[in-house]
Amino acid sequence: MKTIQVQLGQRSYPIHIKSGLFKNFPDLLMETNHGQKWIIISQHGLMELFGFELMAKLKEQSFNIDYISVPMGEAAKSMKEFSNVMSQLTEFECDRSTTVLALGGGVVGDLAGFAASTFMRGIEYFQIPTTLLAMVDSSIGGKTGINIAQGKNMIGTFYQPKGVLIDPDFLNTLHRNEVIAGLGEVVKYGAIWDADFLQEISDWLDDIVSFPFEKAVKRSCKIKAEIISLDERESGLRRLLNFGHTIGHALESYLGYGRIRHGEAIAHGMQCSGWISERLNLLSKEDADYLNITINKLPLPKIKNIHGNNLMSFIKMDKKSEKGILNFVVLKGLGKAAISIDVSEKMLQQSLKVLH
Ligand code: GLY
């Protein structure tokens, strides 16, 4: 088992990663069990796949455990569902000692983490990600939240879990397109932080059927843990994790959630950002092409012609803008990301041409 530590002083926590780790979950959770109430927050399908078996195993070890099921999809990250989760936690007579297990992808992790951070002013929780995207990104770093009509993740907290338990075998049950979308975030780590890793990913993508997920998850988590340990609250370094996200989020909002997966939108956003970095003379043509070729190895959905104007209003609403100035993540070389405030509206619009 590989264990990576997120170093945050007294709030440090481990990320355990190993294929087949599922069977060791009770052992890993045992030291946190003091007879308190445990609640799995998940979705019905995931309860059928893993949740009921996990509950049974934990009950065998005398855990006092129940579960709450939330709807599929982004709709679960709503005030209504948040309120439902709160009511159910109360109905289960949860108290300050209760521990939550967030079993699912990014939606479940964000909602369950937010519920844990606010219930009785904060209770402990573990992340148990079931999608590639959640394994390499959303389960690590303590960003929790829900959406409101005015924007995604507009209400949320930084609230770190007690631990993250990752079994890459869970990916065997995931739809292929979900896995491909998650690979977009894996490419991101190589692009922003580690050129050797980017090259390995690019080589692995030549034979996507044999892609070494466990290895890729471990490397990605190590990079994310390193970044979070240095900048938990996104005052500097953590912003680099937003590479591809300014245009990616705008694509998601414009096309409509559910029309394009987050990881797919980010992959397209990274192509545009590569083009912008080259345009700003920060990235060589050769490196920009390499990034583009790597991303094009992912079988992503084609984006229909989008007029740049249509994306601008979404880009302007982005949380990455401060006092009207856009903090845009660029590459100053492969594996070397930086923030630029020099990215013009025109450049953003022109960059969309790389998608067609
Ligand atoms: N997903 C980006 C971050 O955790 O900061």
Side-chain angles (χ1 to χ4, degrees):
M1 176 174 75
K2 171 103 176 159
T3 300
I4 296 162
Q5 199 72 8
V6 179
Q7 302 284 3
L8 291 169
Q10 292 196 331
R11 290 173 299 111
S12 296
Y13 57 94
I15 306 165
H16 299 295
I17 311 165
K18 189 175 164 268
S19 286
L21 192 69
F22 182 52
K23 62 178 181 309
N24 302 116
F25 284 1
D27 305 331
L28 292 166
L29 296 172
M30 187 64 86
E31 65 180 59
T32 317
N33 187 27
H34 313 293
Q36 78 274 33
K37 184 93 200 164
W38 290 72
I39 299 288
I40 297 178
I41 299 185
S42 192
Q43 293 155 333
H44 184 71
L46 288 170
M47 285 307 295
E48 297 271 349
L49 277 172
F50 316 113
F52 291 127
E53 192 180 335
L54 177 60
M55 261 178 87
K57 283 184 173 156
L58 291 172
K59 275 186 176 162
E60 269 170 33
Q61 308 279 343
S62 309
F63 282 62
N64 174 7
I65 184 155
D66 268 295
Y67 78 99
I68 294 173
S69 183
V70 301
M72 296 279 289
E74 196 69 25
K77 283 178 59 174
S78 65
M79 279 291 189
K80 178 169 161 268
E81 290 308 325
F82 169 68
S83 168
N84 280 340
V85 168
M86 287 290 153
S87 302
Q88 288 185 70
L89 288 171
T90 316
E91 278 157 27
F92 281 126
E93 297 181 354
C94 293
D95 58 26
R96 282 194 168 151
S97 69
T98 296
T99 307
V100 164
L101 300 177
L103 174 71
V107 165
V108 169
D110 285 6
L111 172 64
F114 184 55
S117 75
T118 44
F119 186 74
M120 295 201 171
R121 299 203 171 87
I123 58 175
E124 290 182 346
Y125 76 113
F126 285 81
Q127 289 280 11
I128 307 181
T130 57
T131 64
L132 182 58
L133 194 118
M135 288 178 191
V136 298
D137 186 25
S138 57
S139 68
I140 305 162
K143 275 189 183 174
T144 81
I146 57 173
N147 307 326
I148 51 174
Q150 287 76 5
K152 221 182 149 185
N153 298 323
M154 288 294 269
I155 299 182
T157 53
F158 285 103
Y159 190 70
Q160 303 295 338
K162 279 293 282 179
V164 184
L165 312 184
I166 302 181
D167 183 348
D169 284 355
F170 282 179
L171 300 178
N172 299 337
T173 58
L174 204 63
H175 192 281
R176 183 172 178 272
N177 291 352
E178 282 297 338
V179 181
I180 306 281
L183 284 174
E185 294 280 359
V186 174
V187 170
K188 181 189 81 180
Y189 288 112
I192 64 164
W193 202 254
D194 183 344
D196 292 340
F197 184 34
L198 181 65
Q199 193 173 348
E200 274 181 276
I201 298 163
S202 195
D203 294 343
W204 293 335
L205 286 175
D206 289 331
D207 180 14
I208 204 162
V209 182
S210 319
F211 195 90
F213 284 103
E214 187 171 350
K215 215 167 169 178
V217 169
K218 284 177 185 165
R219 289 279 286 278
S220 304
C221 289
K222 193 159 178 296
I223 295 172
K224 178 133 191 196
E226 210 175 316
I227 294 174
I228 300 304
S229 301
L230 293 166
D231 177 21
E232 180 188 7
R233 297 182 77 92
E234 202 168 313
S235 49
L237 201 61
R238 187 169 182 168
R239 290 183 179 174
L240 304 183
L241 292 171
N242 293 327
F243 181 57
H245 283 57
T246 302
I247 293 177
H249 279 164
L251 282 171
E252 278 182 285
S253 309
Y254 172 68
L255 296 172
Y257 295 104
R259 296 279 168 88
I260 185 165
R261 292 178 172 83
H262 175 72
E264 294 167 343
I266 287 345
H268 289 309
M270 287 192 292
Q271 290 182 300
C272 298
S273 308
W275 183 90
I276 289 170
S277 306
E278 184 189 341
R279 180 75 201 280
L280 290 170
N281 291 323
L282 298 170
L283 190 67
S284 69
K285 174 162 173 26
E286 193 189 0
D287 286 349
D289 286 348
Y290 188 79
L291 178 67
N292 222 2
I293 289 166
T294 302
I295 294 171
N296 279 333
K297 290 181 188 177
L298 299 170
L300 298 170
K302 280 270 159 268
I303 302 280
K304 276 192 267 149
N305 248 328
I306 296 179
H307 196 278
N309 274 337
N310 296 334
L311 283 195
M312 283 324 293
S313 56
F314 295 106
I315 288 177
K316 283 179 186 155
M317 265 168 50
D318 199 279
K319 291 197 291 309
K320 290 174 280 303
S321 291
E322 269 170 10
K323 298 187 189 123
I325 297 172
L326 180 65
N327 291 305
F328 194 86
V329 187
V330 288
L331 295 185
K332 287 179 141 177
L334 295 178
K336 278 190 224 102
I339 300 291
S340 171
I341 53 166
D342 297 327
V343 179
S344 66
E345 211 169 285
K346 191 167 165 215
M347 236 183 265
L348 286 167
Q349 297 198 21
Q350 285 175 338
S351 75
L352 296 173
K353 70 178 180 203
V354 294
L355 305 183
H356 309 304

